[in-house]
Amino acid sequence: MKTNPISQHGAAVALVQLLEEHPELSKHLTWSVPRTGPGLVGIVHDDGVRVLADCRRFLGGSVQVGREHESGGVVVRQHVLASVWRDVRVEILVSLPVTAEAVAA
């Protein structure tokens, strides 16, 4: 019988449940289960404004906006949706061109 739970186990189970309930997320995000920090981290790769809005709709939480930086010749800001889902801290990260920010708010 195990006496020391694996810290990432709950996050991994939550990720399986999240993707079962919202399979479209596997098309737009890459997920990680870090050893420290939030339980789940999703990085949005495409259709950032829509995916971030969808995630906020069913995960709730709040979006924090980072500082401007340049990426591939485009000025972007990283947006972080922070939430809790099934008792697991979740962060969804997306870098959006500064011109698209008004749509994401």
Side-chain angles (χ1 to χ4, degrees):
M1 178 176 240
K2 290 186 179 184
T3 57
N4 295 330
I6 300 168
S7 63
Q8 295 168 311
H9 183 261
V13 170
L15 177 59
V16 168
Q17 293 170 346
L18 181 63
L19 293 176
E20 285 176 345
E21 292 180 28
H22 301 280
E24 69 279 5
L25 294 180
S26 65
K27 298 176 188 174
H28 301 286
L29 289 96
T30 297
W31 292 94
S32 64
V33 180
R35 290 187 303 154
T36 61
L40 293 174
V41 175
I43 300 174
V44 180
H45 294 288
D46 56 7
D47 210 3
V49 173
R50 185 188 62 78
V51 172
L52 187 64
D54 287 349
C55 289
R56 189 172 188 189
R57 182 177 38 80
F58 61 79
L59 289 174
S62 60
V63 176
Q64 302 294 318
V65 180
R67 296 190 330 228
E68 291 182 6
H69 64 278
E70 189 172 325
S71 177
V74 176
V75 178
V76 297
R77 282 193 183 124
Q78 185 175 63
H79 293 63
V80 180
L81 170 62
S83 184
V84 175
W85 192 80
R86 306 267 168 96
D87 296 328
V88 174
R89 288 180 42 215
V90 178
E91 288 186 357
I92 307 293
L93 312 173
V94 62
S95 291
L96 296 173
V98 173
T99 57
E101 287 182 347
V103 179

